[in-house]
Amino acid sequence: MGTGTSKDADGVAHDESDDRDGSLDQAGGQLYVSLKMENYKLNGEIIPHVYGSVPLVGSWDPCKALSMERESASMWELSFVVPPNHETLDFKFLLKPKYGSAPCVIEEGAHRVFSRGALQGESRLAVFRNGEETLEHKIFIKADQVSPFDLAASWRAYQENLRPSTVRGIPDVSINSAPIAGAENGCSASLELDLEHYLVPAPSTSANSGMVYAANNAENPRFTITDAAWYNSYSFKDASISSDRPPTYKGIEVVIPDPSKAYPGTGMVDSKSVGTFSPLQRQDSHRGLFVDRGVGSPRLPKSPSSSTFTFDLKHEAATKNLMPAAAGAVAAAAVADQMLGPKEDKHLAIVLVGLPARGKTFTAAKLTRYLRWLGHNTKHFNVGKYRRIKHGTIQNADFFRGDNPEGVEARNEVAALAMEDMIAWMQEGGQVGIFDATNSTRERRNMLMKMAEGNCKIIFLETLCNDKRIIERNIRLKIQQSPDYSEQPDFEAGYEDFKSRLDNYEKVYEPVEEGSYIKMIDMVSGNGGQIQVNNISGYLPGRIVFFLVNMHLTPRPILLTRHGESRYNVRSRIGGDSLLSDTGEIYSKKLSNFVEKRLKSEKAASIWTSTLQRTILTAGPIVGFPKIQWRALDEINSGVCDGMTYEEIKRNMPEEYESRKKDKLRYRYPRGESYLDVIQRLEPVIIELERQRAPVVVISHQAVLRALYAYFADRPLKEIPHIEMPLHTIIEIQMGVTGVQEKRYKLMD
């Protein structure tokens, strides 16, 4: 029976079983409402539901009713939170079959009305009539007042201690050997045989970089056509700069240093100890990695003594843009590098070295994307793009001969222009420049090191490949995609010209032995290889080495999808660890069918989920593949706002609501996380996705998938919180030598 209520002089409803001090309208109070129905007469095939008005359900459509959960062998429960001054809730109970398409049975009588924390009208049984059969169930309704902070704390204690999830007990890596009983729910969970039927257009800002020549996405030269004409009139054999230099380059001189004077004596920097890493010696996998979510970092007030912890204010102003837009360990390490390192170490130049068709531009593009995603201001400067703009695309193999002084001078000229552009950009706040060219002689590299003195630290990144099959593939891709051969109608003629160009480079090629360097030896083949490092130190160079160790060119798809619709989704509540709604369960079966069809020949594929049960249950019907739980894939931690709707946050925590609205990227929920925190904990996931050579299906949450998708699509950090990530949609990312391509499949409306 429903609990009795009484009213005080102000007309405020009270639960007689829990007489509380103070009004329900006291500041910060919330009502935790519990609806319960006796269960002893129902078999396991019938599930009681609740449907009704806003803000409980928002629809009188029985198909959208909220399922009650089994609290015990004799009781079903549905609980929710509303503010004390909530709108009147009209609702009714109904019974729905768990499987099959039998009609639901709605309780007899008028709507139940819940207002001001109490049930209005007389208490009554829930009566259901199905033909000649009549069922009567006792109903219990109770409302308790709690603060948002108490609610969040009690929710976690309830979930973790009193009611452990039934799916949390499975191993970190598990494999289903047989389909789950009842996995198919008639035709509603089936799919068309042709998966292309479900394709939908990808957004204009999608990850389809594979359709574009990677060098075309590099930084555009700063000089205009007028500037180019001026540079054409300037002799690089002169040591002076004419007075009519364009104002764009005020204070910056384009001078090619004399390599013989760059490093007297040997012409190079003494090489220090070399370390060698083999992928075969690495730890096999990060599978099953668990990183505690924690509660984030508290937002502390500014210390009165903070003014004593300062350094050169001019230096701080000049380098404020060099700090990565990151959080936690990433930011701390970057700050340490910035404050303690030499002046030029505040800017880092990764200078590619290698023969043509060795994957330099591909490596440069991937490294640029990775560093940008981590929050480091990074740009890719491709010298070939400078050459084509200044000297045109039609340059035959003779232009690249080592004994062609005009060609050598012209190529050194554009390399100097690109280097000066990169240094100018760094002086404006840039942090990491990727300098993409062959840089195949010691003379060229000494020139670049001389230009970098006092401006940036150089690390050479040399790509070496001895696999003739891969070199041949890269050459053919170069002929097909490079603007150098866009006007060459004869493929074979272009092929022979490029082979001659390659021969010219091989005659003068000198491996890197000077300065700080990283050598990638046969890393792109996917069959082992080595990485050698020399004189590498600091946080960021270390992250770069770790990324390169795990990078390869093996084509494979990565499928990203949110979990099926959850009960919290239906009620517009954030966070929590709720079960799937009926619609979400249907999606889990459709997803299983999709994965079976899409990956039927991929025996080494794996399924990754978070540790929250809505993703684990979505993956449940998928069989035949290992399932790995990552705590790093858990949804953004909403702290004390866990379980609330945004409307409730706006009404009860207006300052937090406005702070989040102003800057969703950096806003951190009280005792929770920000998007930047999520990016930080996702770095191991990105590294492992890069390392995998087989397909991976990632079933996760909206904020997490936004961050993962932004990495593959190379989207700016500021856009991440606004990326559309719809339910019941699969985003297929195809990774390979041609870049990243995207397809989208919408399995359900």
Side-chain angles (χ1 to χ4, degrees):
M1 300 292 291
T3 58
T5 62
S6 63
K7 293 187 178 181
D8 58 18
D10 296 324
V12 178
H14 288 267
D15 189 329
E16 291 179 344
S17 64
D18 185 18
D19 192 14
R20 299 178 296 274
D21 293 330
S23 168
L24 287 174
D25 290 325
Q26 72 179 27
Q30 297 283 301
L31 287 178
Y32 186 87
V33 182
S34 173
L35 306 181
K36 296 185 179 182
M37 175 187 290
E38 276 191 341
N39 174 56
Y40 66 92
K41 293 182 180 179
L42 293 178
N43 59 45
E45 300 300 312
I46 302 296
I47 308 296
H49 287 62
V50 178
Y51 74 135
S53 64
V54 174
L56 178 57
V57 179
S59 173
W60 286 99
D61 182 355
C63 295
K64 297 182 179 180
L66 297 179
S67 171
M68 302 183 76
E69 297 182 27
R70 189 186 298 274
E71 182 192 48
S72 65
S74 61
M75 193 71 68
W76 293 86
E77 182 188 31
L78 176 67
S79 58
F80 54 92
V81 179
V82 293
N85 56 346
H86 64 84
E87 303 173 37
T88 298
L89 307 181
D90 293 12
F91 66 95
K92 297 185 79 171
F93 294 94
L94 59 86
L95 303 179
K96 294 177 67 175
K98 186 174 182 180
Y99 303 111
S101 56
C104 59
V105 181
I106 300 173
E107 73 164 311
E108 300 284 321
H111 296 170
R112 298 178 185 268
V113 179
F114 188 83
S115 177
R116 304 285 292 176
L119 189 66
Q120 305 301 306
E122 295 182 359
S123 301
R124 69 177 194 267
L125 299 174
V127 179
F128 302 91
R129 288 191 173 87
N130 185 17
E132 296 181 357
E133 183 181 10
T134 299
L135 296 176
E136 294 182 347
H137 297 273
K138 290 183 179 180
I139 300 297
F140 303 87
I141 301 177
K142 184 177 180 181
D144 291 309
Q145 183 183 4
V146 294
S147 73
F149 294 91
D150 291 339
L151 181 62
S154 62
W155 168 262
R156 290 195 188 90
Y158 178 65
Q159 289 292 328
E160 295 174 6
N161 301 317
L162 303 181
R163 183 178 169 271
S165 167
T166 56
V167 296
R168 290 276 182 92
I170 68 174
D172 296 344
V173 180
S174 64
I175 183 165
N176 291 346
S177 58
I180 298 175
E184 293 297 333
N185 185 12
C187 61
S188 61
S190 64
L191 286 180
E192 299 284 343
L193 292 178
D194 185 5
L195 297 182
E196 302 298 308
H197 173 79
Y198 298 95
L199 272 176
V200 294
S204 58
T205 53
S206 66
N208 286 314
S209 67
M211 311 305 292
V212 181
Y213 184 55
N216 290 347
N217 291 327
E219 187 69 6
N220 288 319
R222 295 188 174 203
F223 62 79
T224 62
I225 299 299
T226 304
D227 297 333
W230 175 83
Y231 283 117
N232 282 329
S233 68
Y234 168 69
S235 171
F236 273 74
K237 296 178 182 178
D238 261 343
S240 62
I241 299 294
S242 59
S243 60
D244 59 346
R245 179 173 186 159
T248 307
Y249 282 79
K250 183 178 180 181
I252 303 176
E253 294 185 352
V254 180
V255 179
I256 298 185
D258 182 350
S260 65
K261 298 179 181 179
Y263 296 92
T266 62
M268 66 184 73
V269 180
D270 288 339
S271 180
K272 297 186 179 181
S273 60
V274 177
T276 302
F277 298 93
S278 169
L280 299 179
Q281 298 170 347
R282 297 193 307 266
Q283 183 178 351
D284 179 62
S285 175
H286 290 261
R287 290 183 175 185
L289 176 66
F290 276 74
V291 180
D292 286 338
R293 279 170 57 167
V295 293
S297 302
R299 289 172 292 178
L300 301 176
K302 185 176 181 181
S303 169
S305 61
S306 62
S307 59
T308 62
F309 184 70
T310 59
F311 50 98
D312 186 353
L313 294 180
K314 294 181 180 179
H315 169 76
E316 183 182 27
T319 60
K320 66 180 180 179
N321 292 328
L322 305 182
M323 295 298 106
V330 174
V335 169
D337 278 358
Q338 295 283 4
M339 293 178 62
L340 303 179
K343 178 182 176 182
E344 60 268 23
D345 287 3
K346 296 174 178 62
H347 309 282
L348 181 62
I350 306 296
V351 177
L352 274 295
V353 178
L355 291 168
R358 263 57 175 184
K360 297 185 302 299
T361 298
F362 174 84
T363 301
K366 291 200 73 165
L367 187 56
T368 300
R369 188 179 71 204
Y370 171 69
L371 294 175
R372 282 176 180 167
W373 183 77
L374 284 181
H376 301 283
N377 191 2
T378 306
K379 282 190 176 181
H380 176 194
F381 295 82
N382 180 269
V383 175
K385 188 173 185 178
Y386 279 68
R387 169 179 55 78
R388 285 185 283 272
I389 291 176
K390 192 172 190 300
H391 298 289
T393 59
I394 304 177
Q395 301 291 340
N396 62 28
D398 289 339
F399 180 81
F400 301 93
R401 289 203 337 257
D403 58 356
N404 177 358
E406 291 79 11
V408 171
E409 181 179 345
R411 286 184 282 124
N412 282 340
E413 174 189 7
V414 292
L417 289 174
M419 190 68 175
E420 286 292 347
D421 274 4
M422 187 171 72
I423 291 172
W425 166 73
M426 287 178 173
Q427 292 174 347
E428 296 166 359
Q431 187 183 5
V432 184
I434 312 293
F435 190 83
D436 180 13
T438 55
N439 301 312
S440 53
T441 65
R442 192 171 294 115
E443 181 181 21
R444 163 73 73 81
R445 298 193 292 268
N446 285 344
M447 179 194 84
L448 298 176
M449 286 192 287
K450 184 64 176 178
M451 297 177 73
E453 282 183 351
N455 294 307
C456 62
K457 176 182 179 179
I458 281 185
I459 295 178
F460 293 112
L461 174 55
E462 185 176 18
T463 60
L464 301 171
C465 180
N466 300 304
D467 190 325
K468 294 182 179 179
R469 177 183 55 84
I470 291 179
I471 296 172
E472 178 71 16
R473 179 194 64 187
N474 290 349
I475 291 175
R476 293 187 173 276
L477 284 173
K478 188 89 170 179
I479 305 304
Q480 294 170 359
Q481 296 184 342
S482 173
D484 285 349
Y485 296 97
S486 60
E487 299 180 20
Q488 172 57 266
D490 187 345
F491 179 87
E492 291 303 322
Y495 177 83
E496 292 302 324
D497 179 82
F498 189 83
K499 290 279 286 185
S500 298
R501 181 195 299 191
L502 184 54
D503 290 339
N504 291 332
Y505 274 109
E506 288 177 338
K507 291 175 184 177
V508 298
Y509 187 79
E510 297 173 294
V512 175
E513 296 175 350
E514 66 271 23
S516 300
Y517 64 77
I518 304 167
K519 286 178 183 275
M520 299 177 63
I521 305 172
D522 290 327
M523 288 292 295
V524 298
S525 65
N527 298 315
Q530 288 185 344
I531 279 193
Q532 295 180 358
V533 298
N534 179 63
N535 196 22
I536 299 296
S537 63
Y539 172 79
L540 193 53
R543 302 312 304 160
I544 291 172
V545 171
F546 188 59
F547 176 76
L548 295 174
V549 166
N550 289 280
M551 191 188 73
H552 59 89
L553 303 181
T554 306
R556 75 278 190 198
I558 295 173
L559 307 179
L560 307 177
T561 183
R562 290 175 66 183
H563 54 79
E565 180 189 65
S566 71
R567 296 178 183 179
Y568 263 31
N569 289 143
V570 175
R571 298 159 68 181
S572 300
R573 300 198 176 278
I574 63 175
D577 194 12
S578 63
L579 300 171
L580 298 179
S581 68
D582 291 345
T583 301
E585 291 182 359
I586 293 174
Y587 176 70
S588 70
K589 296 156 191 169
K590 284 181 174 286
L591 177 63
S592 174
N593 290 338
F594 179 92
V595 171
E596 179 184 354
K597 291 179 170 66
R598 176 65 184 85
L599 304 180
K600 60 183 177 181
S601 60
E602 302 285 355
K603 302 303 182 184
S606 57
I607 314 298
W608 296 4
T609 72
S610 73
T611 65
L612 301 177
Q613 60 181 339
R614 54 189 181 274
T615 65
I616 299 172
L617 293 173
T618 300
I622 302 174
V623 298
F625 300 104
K627 297 174 184 176
I628 299 108
Q629 297 178 38
W630 286 71
R631 196 175 296 278
L633 289 175
D634 284 4
E635 179 60 300
I636 186 171
N637 187 348
S638 51
V640 301
C641 299
D642 196 65
M644 300 174 69
T645 68
Y646 289 118
E647 196 60 36
E648 290 169 353
I649 297 173
K650 181 178 181 180
R651 185 162 49 243
N652 297 288
M653 307 172 73
E655 291 184 1
E656 294 296 333
Y657 182 85
E658 290 300 321
S659 296
R660 178 179 178 273
K661 186 177 179 181
K662 289 177 182 177
D663 190 353
K664 286 183 67 176
L665 178 67
R666 292 170 178 81
Y667 170 78
R668 178 179 286 136
Y669 287 100
R671 304 181 188 175
E673 289 181 306
S674 69
Y675 269 92
L676 291 177
D677 295 328
V678 171
I679 290 171
Q680 178 189 342
R681 65 169 157 94
L682 282 176
E683 187 186 9
V685 178
I686 289 295
I687 294 295
E688 184 64 11
L689 285 173
E690 287 287 355
R691 196 186 73 85
Q692 291 288 316
R693 287 177 166 80
V696 177
V697 180
V698 180
I699 304 173
S700 189
H701 311 267
Q702 180 168 249
V704 171
L705 292 177
R706 281 172 168 167
L708 290 178
Y709 176 79
Y711 169 77
F712 295 111
D714 197 14
R715 298 279 289 274
L717 287 179
K718 63 182 180 181
E719 294 183 9
I720 290 179
H722 310 286
I723 293 175
E724 183 181 359
M725 198 58 58
L727 282 170
H728 307 154
T729 301
I730 299 167
I731 301 175
E732 179 177 323
I733 304 292
Q734 184 70 39
M735 298 176 64
V737 67
T738 58
V740 177
Q741 299 182 32
E742 173 186 340
K743 287 183 178 180
R744 293 198 176 205
Y745 301 89
K746 190 170 184 62
L747 302 191
M748 295 174 61
D749 292 328

